[in-house]
Structures are given as C-alpha cells and as structure tokens.
Amino acid sequence: MSVVLIRPLAVRTVAVSDPGDLLTRLPDAMPYAWIRHGEGLVGWGEAARIVIPPGPDRFDRAREWLGSLFDGARIDDEVEAPGSGPVAFGSFTFDGDAAGSTLVIPRTVLARRHGRAWLTTIGEAGSVPVTSPVEPGRIRYGDGTLTAPEWEQAVARAVRRIRSGTLDKVVLARDLTATAERDIDTRVLLSRLAVRYPECYTFSVDGLTGATPELLVRHTGRSIESLVLAGTTPRGAGPAEDAARGVALYASGKDRHEHACAVASVQEALAPLCSTLDVPARPELLVLPNVQHLASRVSGRLSDGASVLDVVAAMHPTAAVGGTPTGMALRVIRELEGMARGGYAGPVGWIDSRGDGEWGIALRCAQISGRRARLFAGCGIMAGSDPVAELAEAQAKFRVMQYALEG
C-alpha cells in the first residue's frame, strides 16, 4: 500500500458562521468536494493519503487504515455531526482488479449541513490565500478508446449476447478526450456543475470530477438511504416533447425491466445488513437538465454497527452500472469496452470517524489532469436496445461535463 500521513492526527472542529458558497472558499485548483443544493463539504491540503492495492479485500484495507488513524487521533469536535471531526474523501475504481483506489484526509474541511456550518483543521491551521479560478479556454475534443461507430458495434454485439440468453443486461461505457488551452482549474467545473445540476452530487476527488445523480448510500447512525437510477431518455426540445418522452420512458417495458434489475441488485445487497428495508413498488421520474431517469428511493435501518464503507463494499457494483448477472456482465464489459474505466462508475464520496458518510456512483464525470480531461458516459444495454439510440443517450450524458468545461 502506498501511504502518506501525519501521525497522530490532531483534529479540531469548530462551529463557524455561514460561509456562503462553499466552492468560492477553495484555495486549491484540485480540491475535494461533495456538494448538493449548496450544502456539503469541501476540503484542501493533505494530512493523510492511501493508495489501496487492487483486490477483493480493498474495502477492508481502506476501513482498517482509516480505523487505525481515527482511533489514534486526538479529536476536539464541538459540532459532533455527520461530517464533523476528521473526514476522508475517497474514490474507488469500478473494477476491483484495477489500481487507483484512493482515500485522502484533507488538512482543512469546510462544511455546511442542515443550517449549521463548521471548520475542521488538522495540525497547524495556517491561512491559505484564495486565488481566482482560471478559465480553461478553448476546448478541443477527440475520440476516446472507441470511435462512435465502433462503440455502436460493441453495443450490437452486447445485444446479441443478451438475446442468446448469456445475460440480462450489461452497462457499456465510452470515453471522450478533451484538451484545453490552459491547465483545467477544477473549481471552475465544480461551480458550473453545482449551479446547473443542483439535484446532483457535485464531487471532486484527486481530479475525478463530476455531478452524479446517483446516491449509492447515505449513512447516518444506523439509517441508510440509496437512490437507484436505471432507465434513461434525453430531454425533449420543448415542454410537450419533454412530457411525452417522460411518459414513454415510464411506459417502456425495456426501461422498466432495466430499472427492476437495478433495484433488485440493491435490495439483494442491503437485505443482509438491514433489520428493516423499504423498497418502493414503482419508480418515480427524476428530471434533470439533460436527461430523465427512472428512480427508486430505497431506505433502511442497519442491524449492526456497519460503517458506510461496509455498505459500499456490499453494494458495488450495482446492476445500474455493471449489469445482470454481475459476474458475466463484468466479463462482457472487459471484452467489449476495450478501455480501463478507472474511477468512472466506481464509488466516490466521504466518510467520517463515526462511520457516517455519503457515497455516490461516479457518473457524469471526467478525470482531470493538467490541460487534459477524459470524459465518460455509459448506457444500460438490454435485449431491445438500439445502438443508434444508445449512442444518442451517451452523447446526452457527455453534455454534463462538456458544459462544465465550456460554460
């Protein structure tokens, strides 16, 4: 394991007055963030970091590392709320056999939740000047691993596999490259995403930046919540077309079956951990600026002291980002996508020393490095999928990060 840390952690959390827009307080062009409707946490600096080796025990290793740090920390927390005290931001790769899963405990975290605001510092709390974010300038796009026609061919191959009875569903992703005139300041992207997509969770961890609509799990005490999304249609050109698209999505047998598979996988993962579990009988329609989704809000109560990372480990990967059955879907993804997803469609979020936290699925995102960005989009492929329609859906999902880059 690759580890960087300050030991022992000397942590202090104090209540502060409302800081306003949290994102405008960030002094670092590559910060840590988790924001929805203006609330959440932002962080900068680095008190501890671990790069977790790939393998089936990666979540266990992450939990053990955090436990050793948090148990030995000197914590002075006058707020004592979810997200106060020491907090780690994390990103796990989609593929458990891929390298790159990371947890970072920032030196400074500024938070606002439920009408309260606080500041957490580790070590000496020095003042860091906030510089103005710099626009990335003109953006040039290029093909990723597969061209659009090649990706359509991959979708067609996946449909044939499904119709042969090999599997029920597989999620295929594609990537797109972007090159900016100047180094990409993540703060610019975060601000645009938070304003344009307030219903989503705007996040940034080690350059993986986006606005995901999908909450994998929120853990507060023993209560957990999850928002399951599967089944998508682009927004219409006007109100009438938009409404018609929503009605068609809700009535679509293909999309309702895809959604039912995703809900079933979440229910199967959570049931052994929960004393009670509430799963809606029917989905609702979640309308976002670029697409509409079928959505189900699942809630439950844990039967023991499982942390949010324990729940994440049990749930990932869901059928919404992998497929059904999981093992076969993962094999088909590796064969047909032809690319490494990295953190795309993997868990991303935060955890505190109580085991509380919020983790989403890293969707509608890009990996930022210098002047370059690698954008991702994926679609659930079913027996009735049309490659041309799936490509259009992926392009609609790319628009989230294209907007963030271009403004």
Side-chain angles (χ1 to χ4, degrees):
M1 289 189 292
S2 174
V3 178
V4 176
L5 58 87
I6 300 169
R7 188 190 292 274
L9 300 180
V11 186
R12 186 160 190 259
T13 298
V14 296
V16 296
S17 58
D18 191 333
D21 186 349
L22 293 171
L23 296 172
T24 64
R25 303 289 181 159
L26 288 169
D28 195 327
M30 292 290 279
Y32 305 95
W34 182 266
I35 300 291
R36 182 174 183 265
H37 286 306
E39 293 200 337
L41 302 85
V42 295
W44 58 94
E46 190 174 297
R49 163 189 294 271
I50 182 173
V51 178
I52 305 152
D57 61 346
R58 59 184 181 149
F59 291 104
D60 291 335
R61 289 192 181 202
R63 187 184 64 249
E64 290 167 4
W65 179 76
L66 284 174
S68 68
L69 279 181
F70 290 157
D71 290 346
R74 300 193 302 270
I75 303 173
D76 178 9
D77 181 0
E78 68 178 42
V79 175
E80 295 192 348
S84 70
V87 170
F89 289 80
S91 167
F92 287 83
T93 55
F94 171 79
D95 190 332
D97 292 330
S101 300
T102 304
L103 285 171
V104 178
I105 301 176
R107 277 183 174 269
T108 306
V109 173
L110 181 62
R112 180 175 59 208
R113 291 169 58 86
H114 309 307
R116 306 172 73 189
W118 58 88
L119 178 70
T120 298
T121 54
I122 296 179
E124 295 297 324
S127 176
V128 180
V130 177
T131 58
S132 297
V134 178
E135 297 281 342
R138 187 171 61 88
I139 306 294
R140 291 184 292 106
Y141 294 100
D143 285 327
T145 307
L146 299 178
T147 65
E150 288 171 339
W151 193 75
E152 286 181 323
Q153 292 170 14
V155 171
R157 291 172 63 192
V159 169
R160 289 195 292 271
R161 292 284 188 89
I162 293 167
R163 290 177 178 173
S164 74
T166 305
L167 71 168
D168 294 326
K169 170 191 173 181
V170 63
V171 179
L172 290 185
R174 64 182 299 242
D175 56 349
L176 186 70
T177 63
T179 304
E181 286 185 70
R182 293 178 285 276
D183 282 354
I184 299 170
D185 189 328
T186 303
R187 295 173 298 176
V188 174
L189 312 189
L190 291 172
S191 293
R192 289 172 176 166
L193 292 170
V195 170
R196 182 71 171 257
Y197 302 96
E199 284 289 332
C200 295
Y201 297 85
T202 297
F203 64 88
S204 180
V205 178
D206 269 14
L208 184 66
T209 303
T212 181
E214 191 145 357
L215 178 68
L216 186 61
V217 61
R218 175 184 295 118
H219 180 297
T220 308
R222 289 197 171 184
S223 297
I224 57 170
E225 303 168 60
S226 180
L227 178 63
V228 184
L229 303 181
T232 306
T233 188
R235 295 293 301 272
E241 182 187 348
D242 207 38
R245 283 180 177 271
V247 170
L249 174 65
Y250 202 84
S252 165
K254 174 258 186 190
D255 289 291
R256 289 293 288 268
H257 179 58
E258 178 185 352
H259 188 81
C261 289
V263 172
S265 76
V266 168
Q267 184 174 9
E268 182 180 355
L270 291 179
L273 299 176
C274 292
S275 57
T276 61
L277 191 62
D278 181 18
V279 181
R282 292 178 298 278
E284 59 187 76
L285 199 61
L286 178 64
V287 181
L288 300 174
N290 61 321
V291 294
Q292 302 182 61
H293 292 291
L294 294 179
S296 291
R297 302 177 189 275
V298 177
S299 60
R301 185 166 180 80
L302 294 169
S303 54
D304 59 20
S307 79
V308 69
L309 274 186
D310 295 316
V311 182
V312 168
M315 295 180 71
H316 179 74
T318 69
V321 293
T324 307
T326 301
M328 178 57 70
L330 294 180
R331 287 193 288 273
V332 172
I333 286 170
R334 293 185 185 114
E335 177 186 342
L336 298 184
E337 278 187 358
M339 70 175 190
R341 289 188 177 189
Y344 169 73
V348 62
W350 61 270
I351 177 174
D352 67 17
S353 58
R354 287 168 287 270
D356 288 333
E358 292 179 311
W359 288 73
I361 299 175
L363 306 175
R364 316 297 192 270
C365 63
Q367 185 67 51
I368 310 299
S369 179
R371 295 191 303 120
R372 299 184 179 277
R374 185 180 176 216
L375 286 62
F376 300 92
C379 301
I381 311 303
M382 306 287 289
S385 292
D386 170 49
V388 174
E390 298 296 345
L391 179 64
E393 180 182 319
Q395 290 171 329
K397 292 173 177 176
F398 275 136
R399 290 190 193 115
V400 173
M401 291 309 299
Q402 288 175 318
Y403 167 77
L405 288 164
E406 298 169 15

